[in-house]
Amino acid sequence: MTRLLIGPLLRHVGTTDATVWVETDEPCDVAVLGSHEHTWTVAGHHYALVQVEGLEPGSSIPYEVHLDGEIAWPPLQSDRPPSLIRTQGGGGPLRLAFGSCRYVRSAATLTDRHFTPDSLACFARDMIRSEVSQWPDAFLMLGDQVYADETSAATQRRIRAKRDITSGAKDQVADFEEYTWLYLESWTDPDVRWLLSNVPTAMIFDDHDVRDDWNTSHSWREDMKRTTWWQERIIGGLSSYWVYQHVGNLPPDELKADDLYQRVRTHGRDAEPLLREFAAAADREADGAKGARWSYRRDFGRTRLLMIDSRCGRILADGERSMVSEEEFAWIEKQVDGSYDHLLVGTSLPWLLPRALHDLESWNESLADGRRGPRMASWAEKVRRAADLEHWAAFRRSFERLGNLLTSVGRGEHAHDGRSPATICVLSGDVHHAYVAELESAPDVHSPIYQLTCSPLHNFVPAAMKVTFRVAWSRVAERLVRALLRIAAKVPPATVSWRRLAGPFFGNEVATLVIEGRHAETVLRRSAPGGAPEELIEVSRLTLAG
């Protein structure tokens, strides 16, 4: 009998349609609510993305997954509620949960005292105890869904059984096959699996999905190319990301128009060669070649989500340094046109950092570009990699361009009716703490602009890093760094300023954005150490508008 290995993952849900993703152990016919899709194969693994259409707007529909006519989901004797597809168009507030940086499942870290409970699993258990009306309408997973460069003990045992770990990628993931192990380990936790079957997800990658410092600079890319193992890693990383994360981000109409997806699903043979060719081309974008667009847009009624790839789409060669290509930035600027009540910009890397860190990254970029000579440039490159100085602040022109775009939206310049959104929120992760910051905008910018950062879902923060972030958020550090750079480095300050409203908060955390009309608030909850009865403890609640 054919088995369901991973899934179902409820991915895109509209007013009358939905997509459901699965991985199976054999080729088969997959059916959901009467819609059928035959699996397609990549490197000997079998997948399907079932498109369910003709649903009622604003409805809540229980569903099952059948493989070759036999029920495969829900599990027999499950004590969890049925899996539901909840279409858009109903009443009540919009609830969007978000977070990033989830290191494997809780079972893989039980003996490590640094880890508190997995907040995503806690969130699932909280859902089980709650009314369906309180469930999130989507979960935005903002990077590091898997850790290819920090594998668990169980994955390392599988790697050692497959190959020699004294050379090449060593105990890190080496290829597509080993990437499949990461998703199997991470997405099959029983509570998380149930959550993913009920809550639509929108995903974007960050560095650990491939490797720490991924695309931090042109010299980093050149160093990686000189290794014997990097090419297979990046092909496996981007191929697996396309299969496990990216295709589910797309709505049914875009899937039908996506040439690669249609070729893969109708290939009739193992489609690994198609994806290898695609992944190699996508990786070359940072060197100036035409690449792939991983960024995408979703609308939730009067709320627009614009998810930006701030990793693979970077331009780093020939003296250029941009977070995304010119072509992709032009696409981003077009996506903000229209009338909506709230604009959400998802990007794995925070746009607004602690101001002291922002200025240090801007200074590092100036030195690494060679403005103080090659010796200082070499030193700055080493510091950049060691301290992960490669956020939006280290891509100064991109930082300013995104800021100009957001403030123009806040002036109502992109709205058909000239009305500014009630809020503009940049949602991010990466930095292993949570905070809310607000841009101090000009009087003619009528929308408040926020940075909402939530990280990690399941990881830990060393004590020294906690101290660093607390100090970086202080006004004393901000003024001291600014003064030093003004005197010693002559780096001009950013053209915008911002203030911290909440945080920093540390721990395994999940944030939720609650939107009703033009009202919005954000709630941050943290997993309780030791599995306390509450499991998730509220640590912050902040009204953003209304």
Side-chain angles (χ1 to χ4, degrees):
M1 179 178 173
T2 306
R3 293 185 302 115
L4 196 60
L5 293 181
I6 303 180
L9 271 71
L10 185 59
R11 295 305 314 271
H12 187 280
V13 175
T15 54
T16 62
D17 53 36
T19 59
V20 179
W21 181 98
V22 299
E23 180 181 356
T24 63
D25 67 342
E26 295 179 1
C28 63
D29 174 82
V30 184
V32 177
L33 293 176
S35 296
H36 294 258
E37 178 77 2
H38 199 275
T39 55
W40 33 272
T41 302
V42 178
H45 294 261
H46 312 290
Y47 309 95
L49 185 63
V50 182
Q51 299 180 42
V52 184
E53 299 179 314
L55 303 175
E56 287 292 323
S59 59
S60 183
I61 310 157
Y63 75 94
E64 300 173 343
V65 177
H66 292 80
L67 305 181
D68 287 336
E70 299 289 335
I71 187 168
W73 183 268
L76 295 175
Q77 301 178 336
S78 173
D79 58 355
R80 295 176 179 85
S83 296
L84 304 175
I85 296 176
R86 293 166 295 130
T87 54
Q88 294 187 39
L94 172 69
R95 303 176 190 275
L96 299 175
F98 64 94
S100 78
C101 307
R102 181 169 179 263
Y103 179 70
V104 301
R105 56 197 293 179
S106 291
T109 59
L110 287 177
T111 60
D112 192 329
R113 61 181 179 82
H114 295 101
F115 283 83
T116 56
D118 178 359
S119 63
L120 194 60
C122 292
F123 193 87
R125 292 191 287 271
D126 185 73
M127 282 178 56
I128 292 171
R129 294 189 297 265
S130 303
E131 296 293 329
V132 173
S133 61
Q134 301 299 306
W135 292 5
D137 297 282
F139 204 112
L140 315 181
M141 307 185 81
L142 299 168
D144 294 343
Q145 275 66 262
V146 294
Y147 278 69
D149 54 346
E150 298 177 20
T151 53
S152 69
T155 297
Q156 289 174 21
R157 286 193 294 270
R158 295 190 72 175
I159 291 173
R160 284 194 295 270
K162 174 174 176 270
R163 58 176 171 83
D164 178 11
I165 66 166
T166 62
S167 61
K170 297 186 177 179
D171 60 2
Q172 299 181 18
V173 166
D175 54 25
F176 183 93
E177 173 64 26
E178 293 174 15
Y179 263 101
T180 69
W181 303 346
L182 298 185
Y183 288 102
L184 186 67
E185 179 178 53
S186 185
W187 286 358
T188 53
D189 173 277
D191 291 317
V192 171
R193 189 176 189 179
W194 176 85
L195 181 151
L196 295 174
S197 76
N198 278 283
V199 181
T201 46
M203 305 181 185
I204 197 69
F205 43 35
D206 200 23
D207 54 346
H208 291 288
D209 287 88
V210 175
R211 181 179 168 85
D212 187 33
D213 294 338
W214 177 30
N215 281 351
T216 190
S217 64
H218 179 62
S219 66
W220 181 90
R221 286 182 58 82
E222 292 301 301
D223 287 347
M224 289 296 102
K225 289 176 183 178
R226 284 190 283 269
T227 68
T228 59
W229 54 270
W230 172 249
Q231 185 67 8
E232 197 62 31
R233 161 76 72 82
I234 191 62
I235 286 175
L238 294 181
S239 297
S240 62
Y241 175 78
W242 186 92
V243 170
Y244 286 85
Q245 299 191 49
H246 179 68
V247 291
N249 291 329
L250 305 180
D253 58 338
E254 291 188 28
L255 286 171
K256 291 172 183 175
D258 189 288
D259 177 66
L260 178 60
Y261 175 68
Q262 294 302 329
R263 285 192 294 139
V264 167
R265 67 182 286 269
T266 60
H267 191 55
R269 300 184 300 279
D270 195 309
E272 183 182 18
L274 300 180
L275 282 181
R276 289 183 64 88
E277 180 183 4
F278 165 80
D283 176 55
R284 289 194 292 269
E285 182 172 10
D287 298 325
K290 183 178 179 180
R293 175 167 60 80
W294 303 103
S295 301
Y296 58 94
R297 191 186 104 191
R298 280 195 189 183
D299 287 340
F300 301 90
R302 296 279 299 172
T303 296
R304 175 160 297 175
L305 169 66
L306 180 57
M307 193 74 85
I308 298 177
D309 159 28
S310 50
R311 275 293 170 190
C312 192
R314 297 178 177 186
I315 302 300
L316 300 168
D318 301 323
E320 293 293 322
R321 187 169 167 80
S322 176
M323 192 63 90
V324 297
S325 68
E326 177 63 34
E327 180 182 4
E328 188 154 335
F329 232 128
W331 178 86
I332 290 168
E333 289 166 336
K334 288 181 181 178
Q335 302 313 303
V336 301
D337 291 343
S339 296
Y340 39 82
D341 289 331
H342 302 270
L343 174 64
L344 311 179
V345 177
T347 169
S348 62
L349 301 173
W351 177 57
L352 300 179
L353 287 167
R355 187 55 190 264
L357 271 181
H358 174 96
D359 288 339
L360 286 171
E361 292 202 11
S362 185
W363 171 61
N364 179 267
E365 179 189 28
S366 175
L367 293 180
D369 283 347
R371 296 178 189 177
R372 297 286 295 273
R375 181 174 296 178
M376 287 297 290
S378 176
W379 174 82
E381 175 65 24
K382 292 177 182 177
V383 172
R384 171 189 287 165
R385 298 189 196 182
D388 291 334
L389 304 182
E390 38 90 42
H391 298 83
W392 284 86
F395 291 75
R396 180 66 176 264
R397 285 179 295 173
S398 298
F399 173 88
E400 301 286 357
R401 185 170 178 178
L402 181 58
N404 291 336
L405 177 63
L406 299 182
T407 53
S408 69
V409 172
R411 294 188 186 97
E413 296 175 8
H414 295 266
H416 301 323
D417 56 7
R419 191 184 190 197
S420 303
T423 63
I424 300 170
C425 298
V426 180
L427 311 179
S428 305
D430 179 71
V431 290
H432 287 205
H433 70 291
Y435 62 90
V436 178
E438 182 179 12
L439 194 72
E440 295 176 343
S441 303
D444 62 340
V445 179
H446 304 297
S447 304
I449 301 174
Y450 298 102
Q451 171 71 60
L452 309 181
T453 302
C454 180
S455 163
L457 289 167
H458 186 224
N459 213 308
F460 71 92
V461 184
M465 188 178 292
K466 291 181 182 180
V467 172
T468 298
F469 281 123
R470 288 194 174 103
V471 170
W473 274 114
S474 71
R475 296 300 297 269
V476 172
E478 175 186 333
R479 292 167 180 161
L480 177 62
V481 171
R482 184 70 255 156
L484 289 174
L485 296 186
R486 185 170 57 247
I487 296 169
K490 299 182 179 179
V491 178
T495 58
V496 294
S497 60
W498 56 95
R499 62 193 180 102
R500 174 171 52 96
L501 300 182
F505 302 106
F506 298 95
N508 288 333
E509 303 159 323
V510 177
T512 304
L513 191 61
V514 184
I515 294 170
E516 188 163 20
R518 291 180 69 82
H519 170 85
E521 70 174 15
T522 182
V523 181
L524 180 71
R525 294 190 293 168
R526 181 173 59 212
S527 65
E534 300 85 2
E535 296 203 339
L536 284 177
I537 300 172
E538 183 175 316
V539 294
S540 175
R541 182 181 294 264
L542 194 66
T543 297
L544 305 178

